[in-house]
Every structure is written in structure tokens, then in C-alpha cells.
Amino acid sequence: MKRLATAILALCCSLATQALDRQQVLKVYNWGDYIGVGVIEKFEKWYQQVTGQSIKVSYVTYDYPEDYFYKIKNRQIEVDVFCPAEYLAERMMKHKLLMPIDTSFVSQGIPNYLHGTSPFIDNILQLIGEAQGINAKDYTAGYLWGNTGVLINTKYVKPEEVSSWGFLLDSKYRGKVIMKDSFSDVYNVLINYAFYDDIKSGIASRNLLAAYLTNRNIAIVEDLLKTARPQMKKFDVEGDKRLMAAGKEWMSVTWNGDAKWAIDEASDDTNLQYIVPIEGSDCWVDCWVIPTTCKNIKAASLWINFLCRPDIALSCMQETGYSSAIGTPEILQAVTNDSLPAINLSYFFGPEATAVHVDSVMYPTNDVISRCSFLRDSGDRQEVLREIWEKIKKKTIVDYWFYVFAGSVALLMIIITTLLLRQKKTTTIK
């Protein structure tokens, strides 16, 4: 009995120690290549300064956050902080998988940087919150945002050739398109293309088309995908920007932040240009949330707050190429470059930003924003899309030109061999 009591006591001590240690660990799940250099280390140091306690960030990256949604839902992993797109955050709201951000740290004299997010971003997130009957700002904080377009190498493709998404259906570009491996974005691109005439005439709404995935609309997009599939050389999430920067690929359907990164990294003799075709595209916001699997809500809330600090937001922008959700004067001043054309960014930075000299790849113009739909969760229909996408990706594309070339070479060899044999036979007779 004494041994049993000792064992129980040891187990209790062990569990208590583990619980204590867990409060010194923050488990962060984020996209790959999606944070500023040294930000994690800076947070650990800052956390020590403002709380007097040590923290170690356990940082996990992914390419497909949907996979982690199911792991969180089924409580297969412990995640303290998660970075989903807004449509996935909405799905987490539907399943009651989010905890509110704890801002009680302000009572300790720690500034609340969450207030620095742009009203443009807050409004997008609030749309999904209202649908679930909650205040989205209590549960989400915008991180980075952008849109989907096409990045071209002007050595091979002229801008006017991709002014319409119809280029995806043109066999002229067979095997020349690197496709972003994100069907939510591709679906919105193609649904905008398919219903462009109805959108122009006011019969259809981009946002409604994005939100309600009917059987008819899914079938339309699937048919377009089948026609477009031969043009798709490969599917990628992170590597496409590096391939384009290398200067050997023709084009990539990608996100503007990856396009910005590739443009900046390309050599002087590689001219890359980012375009959002006339039919429009989608606009998305990645945000920080605290899942119900969180075991360290204090550190999770402070992480989200820290990532909203202007200097940290700028660091993440500079490293990733994406625009921060933060819309403070410090950000506006930092991104202003008088050598660039002036555009109206009052929708993001406020009425004082009607003529700002900034990079229009990072900050889309009003015209581009007006042609973008906003992503929403469509529940089980998202799984239908995923099944279609996986089937399209696995489809074998026959390279007819290869067979034509190979057949021509084989025929030429037969002709040459026949002529040589005849010549040899004639020489032998003589």
C-alpha cells in the first residue's frame, strides 16, 4: 500500500510539473515562409520583459491549414495559436472551436496593439462574425492579406495576353502555367470568369457566387478546370515564387505576396509582372485565432498582440512580401516610396491616404478590390471542391507534341536506315 501511495504521489508531482512546464511553452501553427526574421526570438525576449516569465515558442508550419482544422476539431493536437484564412476561421466559429483573445494584459500596462488593424480588414472579418452571431474582433486578429492573380515573365508572355482568365483555357499555353495549389482561390477565379457577363450586368454578385457553392456552379467550374488542366505544368504552394524568380518559367497563378517576393528576388534581366485579369479574383485575409485546444491562453493572447505591433508587422511584411493587416501611420510611412505612382488607399489607411506612393502589387488599387470577392466557408461543399481538385491534379496529361516529335524522329531514323541499307546493297551488287 505504501508503494502504491508513493507511486500515486510521484505521478501527481509529474503531472503538476508538466502542467507548470506547459505554461512556459507556446505552440504556434502557421503557414511556411510566413513570418519575419527573428520575430519568434524577439517575442520570447519581449514576453520575459513584460511578464517576468520565460516562454519557449514551439513553431510548426504547414501548406494546407485545412488538414490541421480536422486535427484541432478532433483534439488530436494541442495548438495554442493558429493562422487560418478567414473562411477557415469562420468554419472554426461554426464548430465552436475558438476562444476569445484575452486582453486583460492591458491592466498590467502592456499596450494593446490589436487596435491598429485596418477597418478594411476588421470589416471583412466582422462579416464572418456576424454570420455566427459573435463579434469577430473578440476572436480574430488580421495578420497578412492579399489577392490572387497571375505573375508573368514578360520574356515569354505579354501582359495583354493574360488580361482575361481565358488564357487558362488556351492550348497555346499548354504546360506553361504553374498553378497555386489552393482550390478555394482557383474556384473563385473561375467562377468570376464563368459569370463575368452576369456580374457586369448586375444579375450576379461576386460575393454570393463565392459563398454559395451550388451543384450547378461547381459543375461549371469543374468543366473549366478540365479544359484548363493541360495548361497546368505543376501545382505548388511555396516553390512557385522561387521558380518564377529564377526566370525560366512562363507564368504562375499565385498570390500577390509571393509575386512581390519573386519580383524583388529576380535578377535584373528577368522582368516579372503581376496582373489581376479583368473578370476579377478573390481577396483573402489570414488571421490569428486561439483554438479551444489552447493550453496557454495568456501567452497566445500576448503573441497575437505582439504580432500586431507596427515594427513587428513591418518585419513580417518585408520578409513575406504580403501586406500587413495593420493600418497605422507607422505602416503607411514605411511603405511610402515617392518613386512609385500615387494610388488611392483611403479604403485601407483612411481619408488621409487618397494619393499614396506605394507598390500596387502589395496594396491593390480600388479598381482591383472592386473586382474581388471575399472568401467564405461553405461547409461540406469545401470538401466536394477538394475532391474535385485532387482528381484534377492527378489527371495524366498526354504530351502530344512529345509523341509527334518522337514519332518524327523514329520515322526519320527509319528513312535514314532504309537509305543506308539500299546504298549498301547497291554497292555490294557492283
Side-chain angles (χ1 to χ4, degrees), residues 103-120:
T103 58
S104 62
F105 54 75
V106 295
S107 63
Q108 304 167 30
I110 301 173
N112 187 345
Y113 299 111
L114 296 164
H115 295 316
T117 51
S118 167
F120 171 74

Side-chain angles (χ1 to χ4, degrees), residues 324-337:
S324 171
I326 306 303
T328 61
E330 297 98 318
I331 301 292
L332 177 58
Q333 181 179 359
V335 299
T336 299
N337 183 342

Side-chain angles (χ1 to χ4, degrees), residues 45-301:
K45 183 178 180 180
W46 176 81
Y47 187 89
Q48 173 79 45
Q49 291 173 344
V50 299
T51 67
Q53 301 167 348
S54 62
I55 195 73
K56 182 65 179 175
V57 174
S58 172
Y59 192 76
V60 178
T61 63
Y62 50 73
D63 286 338
Y64 305 102
E66 286 87 352
D67 294 339
Y68 286 87
F69 162 78
Y70 290 106
K71 292 179 180 179
I72 291 170
K73 180 174 181 288
N74 296 324
R75 307 192 74 83
Q76 295 172 340
I77 53 175
E78 286 184 1
V79 181
D80 293 327
V81 188
F82 189 48
C83 186
E86 74 285 86
Y87 76 89
L88 194 53
E90 181 178 16
R91 192 184 308 172
M92 296 180 80
M93 291 177 188
K94 290 178 181 178
H95 289 271
K96 312 296 184 186
L97 294 176
L98 296 185
M99 299 172 68
I101 301 169
D102 182 7
T103 58
S104 62
F105 54 75
V106 295
S107 63
Q108 304 167 30
I110 301 173
N112 187 345
Y113 299 111
L114 296 164
H115 295 316
T117 51
S118 167
F120 171 74
I121 300 297
D122 291 341
N123 289 338
I124 293 174
L125 294 177
Q126 185 53 28
L127 286 175
I128 66 175
E130 288 177 355
Q132 304 308 315
I134 65 173
N135 181 11
K137 204 166 177 61
D138 292 339
Y139 292 83
T140 64
Y143 177 44
L144 298 171
W145 70 285
N147 59 61
T148 306
V150 55
L151 179 66
I152 62 170
N153 185 333
T154 58
K155 177 181 178 180
Y156 307 113
V157 183
K158 295 180 176 61
E160 57 269 23
E161 294 180 86
V162 294
S163 61
S164 166
W165 286 113
F167 78 85
L168 287 172
L169 313 177
D170 190 342
S171 60
K172 173 183 176 181
Y173 304 109
R174 187 184 182 92
K176 303 300 183 184
V177 181
I178 302 174
M179 180 62 69
K180 184 66 79 176
D181 195 356
S182 175
F183 192 33
S184 293
D185 299 288
V186 177
Y187 178 87
N188 279 278
V189 161
L190 292 178
I191 205 71
N192 273 304
Y193 173 78
F195 287 89
Y196 183 52
D197 288 339
D198 289 346
I199 292 170
K200 282 196 302 182
S201 63
I203 297 175
S205 160
R206 282 190 173 87
N207 286 325
L208 290 179
L209 288 169
Y212 298 105
L213 281 65
T214 65
N215 289 336
R216 173 175 173 265
N217 290 358
I218 290 174
I220 289 172
V221 169
E222 186 174 10
D223 286 342
L224 289 172
L225 270 177
K226 290 175 181 177
T227 305
R229 179 62 181 89
Q231 283 64 261
M232 301 176 193
K233 180 177 182 178
K234 65 178 299 183
F235 302 85
D236 212 318
V237 176
E238 293 296 339
D240 56 327
K241 61 185 180 184
R242 296 179 176 86
L243 291 170
M244 291 300 296
K248 295 183 179 179
E249 300 295 338
W250 283 40
M251 67 182 89
S252 173
V253 174
T254 189
W255 301 316
N256 66 320
D258 282 0
K260 169 65 175 169
W261 187 95
I263 292 169
D264 289 345
E265 294 295 319
S267 61
D268 291 340
D269 59 351
T270 298
N271 183 28
L272 304 179
Q273 188 170 340
Y274 180 74
I275 297 163
V276 177
I278 189 64
E279 295 89 1
S281 181
D282 64 358
C283 184
W284 45 263
V285 177
D286 288 333
C287 54
W288 291 111
V289 299
I290 302 176
T292 50
T293 57
C294 178
K295 300 297 182 182
N296 194 344
I297 192 168
K298 173 184 175 181
S301 299

